[in-house]
Structures are given as C-alpha cells and as structure tokens.
Amino acid sequence: MPGLYLLALVVSIGGVALLDRRFRLAFWRDRRSTVIATAIGTAFFLVWDAVGIATGVFVKGDSTLLLGVDLAPHLPLEEPVFLAFLCYLALVCFGAASARARARPRPSATEPRRSEDGGRG
C-alpha cells in the first residue's frame, strides 16, 4: 500500500512528541534548540545520503510502501522525514537520559561509603 511507510513515520513522530510533551524532554523544554539541532542533524544526514548515492553505496530499493515520489535519484520523499524523526528521537532519548541522571540521588562527600557486602566485615 503506497504511503504506508510515511504514515508509520508520522504516527511514530506523533508518539515521540507525546512523550516529549508529557515529560518535557526536548521540544517542550527548549523549542528553539530542538528545532535547530533537528534541522542541522537532518541536513548532515541528507549530505551523507547524497555522498552515499553519488558513490553508489546507497540505492533506493523497490517497495510498495513508498509513495513513489523521489526528491532526487534514489532519494525518496520519506528519507528526510525519517532523518528528521531519527534526530528528534535522539534528542528525546538524550533528554530522558539527562532527566534520569539529574533525578538520581548522588552520595554526598560526608556520607560514608558502603562496601560491597553491605558494610559487614
């Protein structure tokens, strides 16, 4: 079914955006930085794709799931959408890891350290 891959990408972006909104991990924490980082990452990977296509490393395969719209030879419409999703997902995952690290209590310097056996000699 043509367009199913693009639909899956859009639904996935929506799901990640809902998680982002709920926990304020990337876009809902700092919109400007998230948009800039996603745009730069997407542009970087599009250049990477262009080099791969020019050298013959990347070739578009046949799939009935693609819309059939090519932005360039061997570069389907879905590719930049996927790359933007990949960059956004990486930012959300980084935000989640950072939030978890901030929430973890750190032992203070004055607190005695416990040995591996629970303090038993």
Side-chain angles (χ1 to χ4, degrees), residues 67-89:
L67 276 177
V69 176
D70 288 344
L71 302 176
H74 300 289
L75 185 68
L77 172 69
E78 292 84 355
E79 185 67 10
V81 176
F82 168 73
L83 295 174
F85 168 66
L86 182 69
C87 293
Y88 180 49
L89 178 63

PDB file of all heavy atoms in Angstrom, residues 67-89:
ATOM      1  N   LEU A  67       5.674   6.151  -1.285  1.00  0.00           N
ATOM      2  CA  LEU A  67       4.725   6.903  -2.114  1.00  0.00           C
ATOM      3  C   LEU A  67       5.105   6.873  -3.592  1.00  0.00           C
ATOM      4  O   LEU A  67       4.255   6.980  -4.458  1.00  0.00           O
ATOM      5  CB  LEU A  67       4.657   8.355  -1.657  1.00  0.00           C
ATOM      6  CG  LEU A  67       3.722   8.675  -0.505  1.00  0.00           C
ATOM      7  CD1 LEU A  67       3.834  10.150  -0.133  1.00  0.00           C
ATOM      8  CD2 LEU A  67       2.300   8.328  -0.845  1.00  0.00           C
ATOM      9  N   GLY A  68       6.391   6.779  -3.862  1.00  0.00           N
ATOM     10  CA  GLY A  68       6.841   6.805  -5.251  1.00  0.00           C
ATOM     11  C   GLY A  68       7.307   8.176  -5.690  1.00  0.00           C
ATOM     12  O   GLY A  68       7.606   8.391  -6.855  1.00  0.00           O
ATOM     13  N   VAL A  69       7.389   9.122  -4.755  1.00  0.00           N
ATOM     14  CA  VAL A  69       7.862  10.470  -5.061  1.00  0.00           C
ATOM     15  C   VAL A  69       9.339  10.533  -4.688  1.00  0.00           C
ATOM     16  O   VAL A  69       9.719  10.265  -3.551  1.00  0.00           O
ATOM     17  CB  VAL A  69       7.068  11.534  -4.257  1.00  0.00           C
ATOM     18  CG1 VAL A  69       7.624  12.916  -4.503  1.00  0.00           C
ATOM     19  CG2 VAL A  69       5.596  11.450  -4.580  1.00  0.00           C
ATOM     20  N   ASP A  70      10.180  10.871  -5.664  1.00  0.00           N
ATOM     21  CA  ASP A  70      11.615  10.985  -5.426  1.00  0.00           C
ATOM     22  C   ASP A  70      12.019  12.455  -5.445  1.00  0.00           C
ATOM     23  O   ASP A  70      11.654  13.202  -6.352  1.00  0.00           O
ATOM     24  CB  ASP A  70      12.412  10.230  -6.491  1.00  0.00           C
ATOM     25  CG  ASP A  70      12.304   8.728  -6.345  1.00  0.00           C
ATOM     26  OD1 ASP A  70      11.876   8.263  -5.272  1.00  0.00           O
ATOM     27  OD2 ASP A  70      12.653   8.018  -7.307  1.00  0.00           O
ATOM     28  N   LEU A  71      12.786  12.865  -4.436  1.00  0.00           N
ATOM     29  CA  LEU A  71      13.305  14.231  -4.384  1.00  0.00           C
ATOM     30  C   LEU A  71      14.542  14.361  -5.266  1.00  0.00           C
ATOM     31  O   LEU A  71      14.862  15.449  -5.730  1.00  0.00           O
ATOM     32  CB  LEU A  71      13.637  14.601  -2.942  1.00  0.00           C
ATOM     33  CG  LEU A  71      12.470  14.507  -1.959  1.00  0.00           C
ATOM     34  CD1 LEU A  71      12.941  14.791  -0.543  1.00  0.00           C
ATOM     35  CD2 LEU A  71      11.354  15.465  -2.359  1.00  0.00           C
ATOM     36  N   ALA A  72      15.233  13.260  -5.434  1.00  0.00           N
ATOM     37  CA  ALA A  72      16.402  13.152  -6.301  1.00  0.00           C
ATOM     38  C   ALA A  72      16.526  11.673  -6.643  1.00  0.00           C
ATOM     39  O   ALA A  72      15.836  10.852  -6.040  1.00  0.00           O
ATOM     40  CB  ALA A  72      17.651  13.665  -5.576  1.00  0.00           C
ATOM     41  N   PRO A  73      17.387  11.311  -7.582  1.00  0.00           N
ATOM     42  CA  PRO A  73      17.552   9.884  -7.862  1.00  0.00           C
ATOM     43  C   PRO A  73      17.970   9.114  -6.607  1.00  0.00           C
ATOM     44  O   PRO A  73      18.888   9.532  -5.892  1.00  0.00           O
ATOM     45  CB  PRO A  73      18.667   9.855  -8.918  1.00  0.00           C
ATOM     46  CG  PRO A  73      18.587  11.195  -9.576  1.00  0.00           C
ATOM     47  CD  PRO A  73      18.173  12.147  -8.492  1.00  0.00           C
ATOM     48  N   HIS A  74      17.257   8.063  -6.303  1.00  0.00           N
ATOM     49  CA  HIS A  74      17.500   7.199  -5.146  1.00  0.00           C
ATOM     50  C   HIS A  74      17.243   7.898  -3.808  1.00  0.00           C
ATOM     51  O   HIS A  74      17.716   7.431  -2.769  1.00  0.00           O
ATOM     52  CB  HIS A  74      18.917   6.618  -5.161  1.00  0.00           C
ATOM     53  CG  HIS A  74      19.202   5.804  -6.367  1.00  0.00           C
ATOM     54  ND1 HIS A  74      18.639   4.574  -6.579  1.00  0.00           N
ATOM     55  CD2 HIS A  74      19.990   6.060  -7.448  1.00  0.00           C
ATOM     56  CE1 HIS A  74      19.073   4.092  -7.724  1.00  0.00           C
ATOM     57  NE2 HIS A  74      19.880   4.981  -8.282  1.00  0.00           N
ATOM     58  N   LEU A  75      16.520   9.009  -3.808  1.00  0.00           N
ATOM     59  CA  LEU A  75      16.195   9.717  -2.565  1.00  0.00           C
ATOM     60  C   LEU A  75      14.675   9.907  -2.489  1.00  0.00           C
ATOM     61  O   LEU A  75      14.125  10.899  -2.982  1.00  0.00           O
ATOM     62  CB  LEU A  75      16.895  11.081  -2.508  1.00  0.00           C
ATOM     63  CG  LEU A  75      16.728  11.850  -1.190  1.00  0.00           C
ATOM     64  CD1 LEU A  75      17.448  11.139  -0.062  1.00  0.00           C
ATOM     65  CD2 LEU A  75      17.255  13.266  -1.338  1.00  0.00           C
ATOM     66  N   PRO A  76      13.982   8.963  -1.863  1.00  0.00           N
ATOM     67  CA  PRO A  76      12.522   9.067  -1.774  1.00  0.00           C
ATOM     68  C   PRO A  76      12.087  10.165  -0.809  1.00  0.00           C
ATOM     69  O   PRO A  76      12.846  10.588   0.072  1.00  0.00           O
ATOM     70  CB  PRO A  76      12.105   7.684  -1.262  1.00  0.00           C
ATOM     71  CG  PRO A  76      13.289   7.172  -0.538  1.00  0.00           C
ATOM     72  CD  PRO A  76      14.487   7.748  -1.237  1.00  0.00           C
ATOM     73  N   LEU A  77      10.887  10.630  -0.964  1.00  0.00           N
ATOM     74  CA  LEU A  77      10.306  11.668  -0.113  1.00  0.00           C
ATOM     75  C   LEU A  77      10.385  11.288   1.364  1.00  0.00           C
ATOM     76  O   LEU A  77      10.572  12.142   2.228  1.00  0.00           O
ATOM     77  CB  LEU A  77       8.837  11.891  -0.515  1.00  0.00           C
ATOM     78  CG  LEU A  77       8.012  12.803   0.382  1.00  0.00           C
ATOM     79  CD1 LEU A  77       8.491  14.230   0.250  1.00  0.00           C
ATOM     80  CD2 LEU A  77       6.550  12.703   0.035  1.00  0.00           C
ATOM     81  N   GLU A  78      10.271  10.029   1.655  1.00  0.00           N
ATOM     82  CA  GLU A  78      10.246   9.569   3.041  1.00  0.00           C
ATOM     83  C   GLU A  78      11.598   9.708   3.748  1.00  0.00           C
ATOM     84  O   GLU A  78      11.651   9.773   4.979  1.00  0.00           O
ATOM     85  CB  GLU A  78       9.807   8.089   3.098  1.00  0.00           C
ATOM     86  CG  GLU A  78       8.371   7.853   2.713  1.00  0.00           C
ATOM     87  CD  GLU A  78       8.131   7.724   1.221  1.00  0.00           C
ATOM     88  OE1 GLU A  78       9.080   7.917   0.424  1.00  0.00           O
ATOM     89  OE2 GLU A  78       6.984   7.433   0.833  1.00  0.00           O
ATOM     90  N   GLU A  79      12.681   9.791   2.997  1.00  0.00           N
ATOM     91  CA  GLU A  79      14.017   9.822   3.602  1.00  0.00           C
ATOM     92  C   GLU A  79      14.245  11.031   4.514  1.00  0.00           C
ATOM     93  O   GLU A  79      14.682  10.863   5.648  1.00  0.00           O
ATOM     94  CB  GLU A  79      15.102   9.747   2.521  1.00  0.00           C
ATOM     95  CG  GLU A  79      16.501   9.654   3.071  1.00  0.00           C
ATOM     96  CD  GLU A  79      16.806   8.357   3.806  1.00  0.00           C
ATOM     97  OE1 GLU A  79      15.990   7.411   3.754  1.00  0.00           O
ATOM     98  OE2 GLU A  79      17.862   8.284   4.449  1.00  0.00           O
ATOM     99  N   PRO A  80      13.981  12.274   4.077  1.00  0.00           N
ATOM    100  CA  PRO A  80      14.180  13.390   5.003  1.00  0.00           C
ATOM    101  C   PRO A  80      13.237  13.339   6.203  1.00  0.00           C
ATOM    102  O   PRO A  80      13.603  13.769   7.301  1.00  0.00           O
ATOM    103  CB  PRO A  80      13.935  14.645   4.165  1.00  0.00           C
ATOM    104  CG  PRO A  80      13.497  14.202   2.844  1.00  0.00           C
ATOM    105  CD  PRO A  80      13.656  12.735   2.727  1.00  0.00           C
ATOM    106  N   VAL A  81      12.050  12.793   6.014  1.00  0.00           N
ATOM    107  CA  VAL A  81      11.117  12.644   7.149  1.00  0.00           C
ATOM    108  C   VAL A  81      11.697  11.646   8.148  1.00  0.00           C
ATOM    109  O   VAL A  81      11.696  11.883   9.356  1.00  0.00           O
ATOM    110  CB  VAL A  81       9.713  12.189   6.668  1.00  0.00           C
ATOM    111  CG1 VAL A  81       8.786  11.952   7.850  1.00  0.00           C
ATOM    112  CG2 VAL A  81       9.128  13.200   5.703  1.00  0.00           C
ATOM    113  N   PHE A  82      12.240  10.536   7.651  1.00  0.00           N
ATOM    114  CA  PHE A  82      12.876   9.555   8.526  1.00  0.00           C
ATOM    115  C   PHE A  82      14.072  10.163   9.248  1.00  0.00           C
ATOM    116  O   PHE A  82      14.261   9.952  10.457  1.00  0.00           O
ATOM    117  CB  PHE A  82      13.323   8.321   7.736  1.00  0.00           C
ATOM    118  CG  PHE A  82      14.232   7.434   8.523  1.00  0.00           C
ATOM    119  CD1 PHE A  82      13.743   6.659   9.554  1.00  0.00           C
ATOM    120  CD2 PHE A  82      15.594   7.404   8.252  1.00  0.00           C
ATOM    121  CE1 PHE A  82      14.586   5.854  10.313  1.00  0.00           C
ATOM    122  CE2 PHE A  82      16.439   6.604   9.002  1.00  0.00           C
ATOM    123  CZ  PHE A  82      15.932   5.827  10.031  1.00  0.00           C
ATOM    124  N   LEU A  83      14.896  10.914   8.534  1.00  0.00           N
ATOM    125  CA  LEU A  83      16.082  11.505   9.148  1.00  0.00           C
ATOM    126  C   LEU A  83      15.706  12.523  10.220  1.00  0.00           C
ATOM    127  O   LEU A  83      16.339  12.578  11.284  1.00  0.00           O
ATOM    128  CB  LEU A  83      16.968  12.144   8.075  1.00  0.00           C
ATOM    129  CG  LEU A  83      17.572  11.160   7.066  1.00  0.00           C
ATOM    130  CD1 LEU A  83      18.304  11.917   5.968  1.00  0.00           C
ATOM    131  CD2 LEU A  83      18.468  10.157   7.750  1.00  0.00           C
ATOM    132  N   ALA A  84      14.668  13.316   9.973  1.00  0.00           N
ATOM    133  CA  ALA A  84      14.190  14.262  10.987  1.00  0.00           C
ATOM    134  C   ALA A  84      13.672  13.501  12.207  1.00  0.00           C
ATOM    135  O   ALA A  84      13.941  13.877  13.359  1.00  0.00           O
ATOM    136  CB  ALA A  84      13.109  15.158  10.403  1.00  0.00           C
ATOM    137  N   PHE A  85      12.944  12.413  11.969  1.00  0.00           N
ATOM    138  CA  PHE A  85      12.454  11.585  13.071  1.00  0.00           C
ATOM    139  C   PHE A  85      13.625  11.010  13.867  1.00  0.00           C
ATOM    140  O   PHE A  85      13.623  11.023  15.099  1.00  0.00           O
ATOM    141  CB  PHE A  85      11.576  10.455  12.530  1.00  0.00           C
ATOM    142  CG  PHE A  85      11.263   9.390  13.548  1.00  0.00           C
ATOM    143  CD1 PHE A  85      10.486   9.679  14.657  1.00  0.00           C
ATOM    144  CD2 PHE A  85      11.751   8.108  13.396  1.00  0.00           C
ATOM    145  CE1 PHE A  85      10.207   8.699  15.597  1.00  0.00           C
ATOM    146  CE2 PHE A  85      11.471   7.120  14.319  1.00  0.00           C
ATOM    147  CZ  PHE A  85      10.702   7.426  15.440  1.00  0.00           C
ATOM    148  N   LEU A  86      14.629  10.521  13.175  1.00  0.00           N
ATOM    149  CA  LEU A  86      15.799   9.954  13.832  1.00  0.00           C
ATOM    150  C   LEU A  86      16.483  10.985  14.729  1.00  0.00           C
ATOM    151  O   LEU A  86      16.830  10.698  15.881  1.00  0.00           O
ATOM    152  CB  LEU A  86      16.776   9.440  12.766  1.00  0.00           C
ATOM    153  CG  LEU A  86      18.040   8.767  13.245  1.00  0.00           C
ATOM    154  CD1 LEU A  86      17.719   7.432  13.889  1.00  0.00           C
ATOM    155  CD2 LEU A  86      18.991   8.574  12.078  1.00  0.00           C
ATOM    156  N   CYS A  87      16.663  12.189  14.228  1.00  0.00           N
ATOM    157  CA  CYS A  87      17.310  13.255  15.001  1.00  0.00           C
ATOM    158  C   CYS A  87      16.457  13.658  16.194  1.00  0.00           C
ATOM    159  O   CYS A  87      16.972  13.841  17.311  1.00  0.00           O
ATOM    160  CB  CYS A  87      17.590  14.462  14.105  1.00  0.00           C
ATOM    161  SG  CYS A  87      18.819  14.128  12.835  1.00  0.00           S
ATOM    162  N   TYR A  88      15.156  13.807  15.986  1.00  0.00           N
ATOM    163  CA  TYR A  88      14.255  14.179  17.073  1.00  0.00           C
ATOM    164  C   TYR A  88      14.220  13.086  18.144  1.00  0.00           C
ATOM    165  O   TYR A  88      14.277  13.369  19.345  1.00  0.00           O
ATOM    166  CB  TYR A  88      12.858  14.460  16.516  1.00  0.00           C
ATOM    167  CG  TYR A  88      11.829  14.850  17.538  1.00  0.00           C
ATOM    168  CD1 TYR A  88      12.081  15.835  18.484  1.00  0.00           C
ATOM    169  CD2 TYR A  88      10.576  14.248  17.560  1.00  0.00           C
ATOM    170  CE1 TYR A  88      11.123  16.198  19.421  1.00  0.00           C
ATOM    171  CE2 TYR A  88       9.619  14.600  18.484  1.00  0.00           C
ATOM    172  CZ  TYR A  88       9.902  15.574  19.413  1.00  0.00           C
ATOM    173  OH  TYR A  88       8.953  15.926  20.342  1.00  0.00           O
ATOM    174  N   LEU A  89      14.156  11.846  17.718  1.00  0.00           N
ATOM    175  CA  LEU A  89      14.158  10.726  18.662  1.00  0.00           C
ATOM    176  C   LEU A  89      15.438  10.715  19.485  1.00  0.00           C
ATOM    177  O   LEU A  89      15.401  10.480  20.699  1.00  0.00           O
ATOM    178  CB  LEU A  89      13.999   9.407  17.908  1.00  0.00           C
ATOM    179  CG  LEU A  89      14.023   8.136  18.757  1.00  0.00           C
ATOM    180  CD1 LEU A  89      12.861   8.115  19.733  1.00  0.00           C
ATOM    181  CD2 LEU A  89      13.984   6.911  17.852  1.00  0.00           C
TER     182      LEU A  89
END
